[in-house]
Structures are given as structure tokens and as C-alpha cells.
Amino acid sequence: MASHRHNPAGGQPPAREQAGPRDGYLDAARECILDVGWKRTTLTEVARRAGVSRMTIYRAWPDMPALLGDLMTREWGGLVARGVDLSGPPTPQQVADAVAATVEALRDNELFTRIVELDPELILPYLLARRGRSQELVIGVLAGAVADGQRAGTIRSGDPVTIARGVVLAAHGFVLSAHTMVDDAVDTAALDAELRTLVVRSLTP
């Protein structure tokens, strides 16, 4: 996986309209993780970077895992919200394009890349033990799109949630392991094209 080191000038999260204090605290945590990694990030350091007391941060989150959960939900949920437009009855190709765009955005996201580089064990529970809030968000968006397409006759029949979960399972490999399949013979663009083909063929009536 390509390394995406933190760039203070260009690594700020996108501006948020009417961002409240909690977003500022999450921004501080994000910057700290990018700078020193998860293991060296503490609530005390987050408070220092946010310019507030330690108790202010503790009132929002009891520990770092709770803070990380909210940060990841905001980060990945924001990627989905910005990168996916499945309004109207979607076609299999539109769903495939949205899935591939989200996969690419995750692979390029500096926070995600930093966590995978320094603290990959943080990702394992969401692959081996349970679904996270961000995964549930993606599944919900996909299931809604599948149901809309089924009503319009553009997507095959089947339980929308089951179909959506299958697509997410397939996408996991393209997010986390695509770099292991890239060499002089196959590049990332070719793999992403295969992902689109997989999704299109799995959804076509």
C-alpha cells in the first residue's frame, strides 16, 4: 500500500458547515493520529491540541477507543456522503461506479492509510469479529439503492440487505489488499475495473 504521510498544509479534513466543539476535538484527535499514530495518542494530548481541559474531552469520550469509533464513523461516513450519489432508480453500473469510487477514496484517505500503516490491529475487529457503524452506513446506502433498482426493474431480485452485505464483503479486499495484487502486469486501475465488473454482474437481472 502506498504511503501517505501527513501533510500539515494539505491534510486537514474537509470544512464542515456549522461545526461544533465536538468536531474540533475530533479534528485534534485526527491530527494527533496522523502525527504520531494511535498508540501514542492520548485523551490528554487531544485536549492539549484542541486547547481545552482534559476533563472536557473525558466528558465527551470515556477512553480513546470510544473517540476512535466516533472519528472513524465521521471520516468514513463523510467519504460515502461526498462520493456516492445513487439518487433515482440506479443501474448496476451506477452502483458499481459508486462502490469503486468509495473504495478508491478509502485507499487514498490519509487517516485510513496511517492507521493501516501503524496500527492495523485497529481494523481487524471489523473484519473478523463485528460490523462497525461505518460498515452499517455503507450497507444501508447500498441496500436502499438495490431496493430502488429492484422496484424499477434495473437490479435483480433478492434481499437488498443480503446483496449489500455481499458487495461490502467483496469490496473489503479491494480496499485492504489491492496493493498485494499490483505489479508490472496488473495495475490498480485494472483491478478497480474488475471490481466494477463483479458488482455489475452480481446485480444485473
Side-chain angles (χ1 to χ4, degrees), residues 33-50:
I33 292 171
L34 289 174
D35 283 345
V36 301
W38 159 258
K39 292 186 181 72
R40 295 174 60 189
T41 297
T42 64
L43 292 178
T44 299
E45 177 61 16
V46 171
R48 187 189 69 79
R49 289 180 181 239

Side-chain angles (χ1 to χ4, degrees), residues 1-2 4 30 71-84 98-117 123 127 134-135 137-138 167-168 170-178 188 192 195:
M1 180 175 292
H4 293 263
R30 185 183 193 274
L71 177 60
M72 289 196 298
T73 297
R74 188 189 74 168
E75 190 85 9
W76 319 149
L79 289 179
V80 173
R82 292 191 298 273
V84 176
V99 169
T102 302
V103 165
E104 183 178 1
L106 271 171
R107 286 198 308 247
D108 291 342
N109 179 268
E110 63 177 353
L111 180 62
F112 181 82
T113 302
R114 192 68 163 156
I115 289 173
V116 171
E117 285 178 342
I123 304 295
L127 299 175
S134 302
Q135 289 163 308
L137 171 64
V138 173
V167 171
V168 169
H172 280 166
F174 286 85
V175 172
L176 293 167
S177 303
T188 303
D192 287 347
L195 173 60

